[in-house]
C-alpha cells in the first residue's frame, strides 16, 4: 500500500476492494501517516481499502491496531481500537484519530510492559522509588499493566536523600496501593568508602550502584522483574549511572522525553478522582540527590530546552548548523550533541523498553 503500482494492478484485474494486512508498529503521528497514505490510494484507484493492523507488544515494539475501512470515496466508515480481537465503531462521522495524544501514549506504554511480561513469563515487577517523577510514572504504568498487587516499590534513601523524597515515595505507594519497603544504603556506602579511595564523582555513582545491587538481590530472591526508570532525555545525554540506576530488565519510559513524563503524570492525575502521582513529585526541581543540594540543572540545560534540541538531533536527524539556524545557541547545541555521542556506549548496554518515537 505504500506504492501505487500494486493497487493499480489489483484494480486492473477486477478487484472490488483492497485488504491490507499489516504489522505496523506505533510511533507518534503514525496513524495519521497511514490514513493519509490510504486516502491517496483510494483517490488513485476508487477502491475501498480495508487496513488491518496487528495489536500488541513484541519486545520494544507496540503494534497499535487502529484498523479501519475507507469506502470508495475515501470516507472512514469503520474503525477498530487498540484492543486485541475484532471491534469496530460505526458512526455517521468518526472523529479524527490523534495518535500523538497522551491517552494513546499511556495505552502504548502499558501494552508494551504488559505483553513483554506475558511473553517472557514475568508476573511481578520491582522498582526503586526515589520520590521523583520518573519512578512514580513507571510505577503507575506497572500497576496498570500487571496489577497493583504484583508491583513492589523499594525506597533506598542515602545520607543525601531529603525527607520529602521518602515521603513522596510512600505517598505514591499508598495512592497506587502497592507494597513498599525501605532499605537505607548508607551503611554499605560507608563500607565502600573504607575499602577504596573514591573521587567525588565515583562516590556519587557508587550510591546508584549500591541501589542496583540491592534491587537485583531482591529481584533474584523473589523472582520479580526489575524495572529501570530512566527517561529518554537522560538516557540520550548519559545522565545515568552504568550498573546503577540504568540496571534492570525492562525500561518502560526509556523512549519518553522528560517533558512528556511530566505531561503524562499530569494526565494520569487528571483522569482519576484524586492525584495518583504526588503533585510534589511533579513540581519539585529534578534531582538525583547524590550530593548535598544537587539539582539536574547543575549539569543539564532546562529540560524544555534540552528536549527541543534532542528532538531535532535525534528525531529529525538535524545537523548542528541546521539546529543553530532554528535559533538555538550553537555552543549549547554542540555540548548536547557531544553528550549524545559520548553516551552511546551506555545506551548500547541499556535495558529493552517500549519504543514510542520515530
Amino acid at each position: 500500500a505504500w506504492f501505487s503500482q500494486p493497487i493499480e494492478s489489483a484494480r486492473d484485474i477486477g478487484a472490488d476492494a483492497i485488504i491490507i494486512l499489516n504489522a505496523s508498529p506505533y510511533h507518534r503521528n503514525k496513524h495519521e501517516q497511514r490514513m493519509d497514505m490510504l486516502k491517496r490510494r483510494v483517490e488513485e484507484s476508487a477502491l475501498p481499502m480495508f487496513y488491518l493492523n496487528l495489536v500488541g507488544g513484541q519486545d520494544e515494539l507496540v503494534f497499535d491496531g487502529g484498523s479501519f475501512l475507507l469506502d470508495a470515496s475515501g470516507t472512514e466508515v469503520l474503525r477498530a481500537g487498540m484492543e486485541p480481537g475484532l471491534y469496530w465503531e460505526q458512526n455517521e462521522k468518526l472523529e479524527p484519530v490523534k495518535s500523538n495524544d497522551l491517552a494513546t501514549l499511556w495505552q502504548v506504554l502499558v501494552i508494551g510492559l504488559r505483553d513483554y511480561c506475558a511473553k517472557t513469563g514475568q508476573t511481578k515487577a520491582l522498582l526503586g522509588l526515589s520520590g521523583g517523577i520518573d519512578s512514580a510514572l513507571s510505577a503507575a504504568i506497572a500497576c496498570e499493566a500487571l496489577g497493583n498487587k504484583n508491583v513492589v516499590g523499594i525506597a533506598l534513601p542515602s545520607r543525601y536523600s531529603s525527607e520529602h523524597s521518602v515521603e513522596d515515595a510512600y505517598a505514591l505507594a499508598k495512592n497506587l496501593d502497592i507494597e513498599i519497603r525501605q532499605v537505607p544504603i548508607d551503611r554499605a556506602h560507608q563500607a565502600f568508602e573504607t575499602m577504596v579511595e573514591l573521587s567525588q564523582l565515583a562516590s556519587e555513582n557508587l550510591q546508584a550502584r549500591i541501589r542496583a545491587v540491592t534491587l537485583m538481590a531482591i529481584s533474584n530472591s523473589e523472582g520479580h522483574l526489575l524495572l529501570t526508570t530512566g527517561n529518554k532525555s537522560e538516557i540520550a545525554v548519559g545522565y545515568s549511572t552504568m550498573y546503577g540506576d540504568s540496571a534492570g530488565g525492562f525500561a518502560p519510559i526509556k523512549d519518553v522525553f522528560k517533558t512528556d513524563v511530566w505531561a503524562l503524570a499530569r494526565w494520569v492525575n487528571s483522569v482519576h478522582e484524586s492525584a495518583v502521582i504526588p503533585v510534589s513529585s511533579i513540581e519539585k526541581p529534578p534531582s538525583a540527590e547524590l550530593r548535598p543540594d544537587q539539582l539536574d540543572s547543575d549539569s543539564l540545560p532546562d529540560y524544555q530546552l534540552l528536549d527541543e534540541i534532542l528532538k531535532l538531533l535525534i528525531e529529525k536527524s538535524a545537523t548542528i548548523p541546521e539546529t543553530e539556524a532554528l535559533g538555538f545557541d550553537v555552543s549549547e547545541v554542540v555540548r548536547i550533541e557531544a553528550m549524545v555521542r559520548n553516551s552511546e556506549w551506555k545506551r548500547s548496554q541499556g535495558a529493552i523498553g517500549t519504543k514510542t518515537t520515530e
Side-chain angles (χ1 to χ4, degrees):
W2 291 105
F3 304 96
S4 300
Q5 193 274 327
I7 307 291
E8 293 168 358
S9 298
R11 178 199 60 200
D12 293 345
I13 62 171
D16 298 307
I18 304 295
I19 300 173
I20 299 156
L21 306 178
N22 237 6
S24 177
Y26 168 86
H27 64 69
R28 305 201 206 174
N29 302 311
K30 184 72 168 285
H31 184 87
E32 291 85 339
Q33 292 175 11
R34 299 170 189 145
M35 183 65 73
D36 290 345
M37 178 265 295
L38 264 294
K39 286 186 174 181
R40 289 198 301 273
R41 298 294 169 257
V42 171
E43 187 178 335
E44 294 163 358
S45 66
L47 291 175
M49 301 277 166
F50 291 84
Y51 180 90
L52 307 175
N53 192 32
L54 186 66
V55 177
Q58 178 66 32
D59 295 333
E60 77 278 11
L61 300 179
V62 170
F63 299 94
D64 57 324
S67 303
F68 56 85
L69 166 61
L70 301 181
D71 67 16
S73 71
T75 301
E76 185 185 14
V77 294
L78 291 176
R79 177 190 298 167
M82 212 183 294
E83 301 81 9
L86 178 61
Y87 303 88
W88 68 86
E89 294 178 47
Q90 187 168 17
N91 299 311
E92 289 187 7
K93 186 176 181 182
L94 290 168
E95 292 296 318
V97 168
K98 296 180 179 178
S99 64
N100 65 341
D101 69 350
L102 294 171
T104 302
L105 177 58
W106 170 262
Q107 195 173 4
V108 164
L109 294 171
V110 169
I111 289 172
L113 176 57
R114 182 197 69 199
D115 287 9
Y116 182 79
C117 288
K119 291 182 176 184
T120 57
Q122 310 283 343
T123 58
K124 296 180 182 294
L126 169 80
L127 74 167
L129 295 184
S130 67
I133 189 62
D134 296 325
S135 61
L137 182 63
S138 298
I141 292 167
C143 287
E144 185 82 9
L146 304 175
N148 60 326
K149 300 306 179 187
N150 295 315
V151 179
V152 177
I154 310 293
L156 298 146
S158 75
R159 66 187 69 158
Y160 303 123
S161 297
S162 60
E163 284 186 20
H164 67 74
S165 292
V166 177
E167 290 169 358
D168 287 343
Y170 272 83
L172 174 76
K174 181 179 179 181
N175 294 346
L176 294 175
D177 191 22
I178 64 173
E179 179 186 352
I180 184 169
R181 308 172 200 166
Q182 186 172 160
V183 184
I185 66 166
D186 198 49
R187 281 194 300 166
H189 194 185
Q190 291 178 37
F192 273 100
E193 288 174 324
T194 64
M195 294 162 54
V196 185
E197 187 174 338
L198 300 169
S199 67
Q200 179 180 324
L201 178 62
S203 180
E204 291 175 14
N205 289 338
L206 179 60
Q207 296 167 74
R209 293 183 174 121
I210 292 169
R211 289 181 171 122
V213 169
T214 305
L215 290 168
M216 280 305 307
I218 298 170
S219 171
N220 285 167
S221 298
E222 302 181 17
H224 294 11
L225 176 68
L226 177 59
L227 304 181
T228 176
T229 63
N231 63 68
K232 183 167 188 162
S233 308
E234 294 166 355
I235 292 170
V237 297
Y239 195 71
S240 62
T241 302
M242 283 306 298
Y243 324 117
D245 56 312
S246 62
F250 195 86
I253 60 169
K254 74 177 292 185
D255 201 27
V256 181
F257 287 105
K258 184 75 170 190
T259 48
D260 289 329
V261 169
W262 279 312
L264 263 176
R266 292 189 175 98
W267 176 86
V268 168
N269 284 351
S270 74
V271 298
H272 290 83
E273 292 181 1
S274 59
V276 173
I277 295 174
V279 174
S280 55
S281 292
I282 299 173
E283 294 183 347
K284 65 187 173 186
S287 171
E289 294 192 327
L290 298 179
R291 64 176 181 268
D293 302 318
Q294 181 188 32
L295 296 174
D296 290 8
S297 55
D298 298 340
S299 308
L300 299 176
D302 175 79
Y303 277 111
Q304 189 69 49
L305 173 63
L306 176 64
D307 285 358
E308 289 178 12
I309 294 173
L310 289 174
K311 286 174 184 177
L312 289 168
L313 295 176
I314 298 171
E315 300 303 320
K316 303 300 181 185
S317 298
T319 63
I320 291 174
E322 287 170 342
T323 307
E324 182 190 6
L326 292 171
F328 293 95
D329 178 74
V330 66
S331 61
E332 196 73 287
V333 175
V334 168
R335 180 169 81 99
I336 292 169
E337 200 262 359
M339 293 171 78
V340 172
R341 290 186 179 277
N342 293 343
S343 303
E344 174 57 22
W345 68 278
K346 290 187 178 183
R347 290 190 297 276
S348 299
Q349 301 178 68
I352 192 171
T354 304
K355 179 176 168 64
T356 74
T357 57
E358 250 181 305

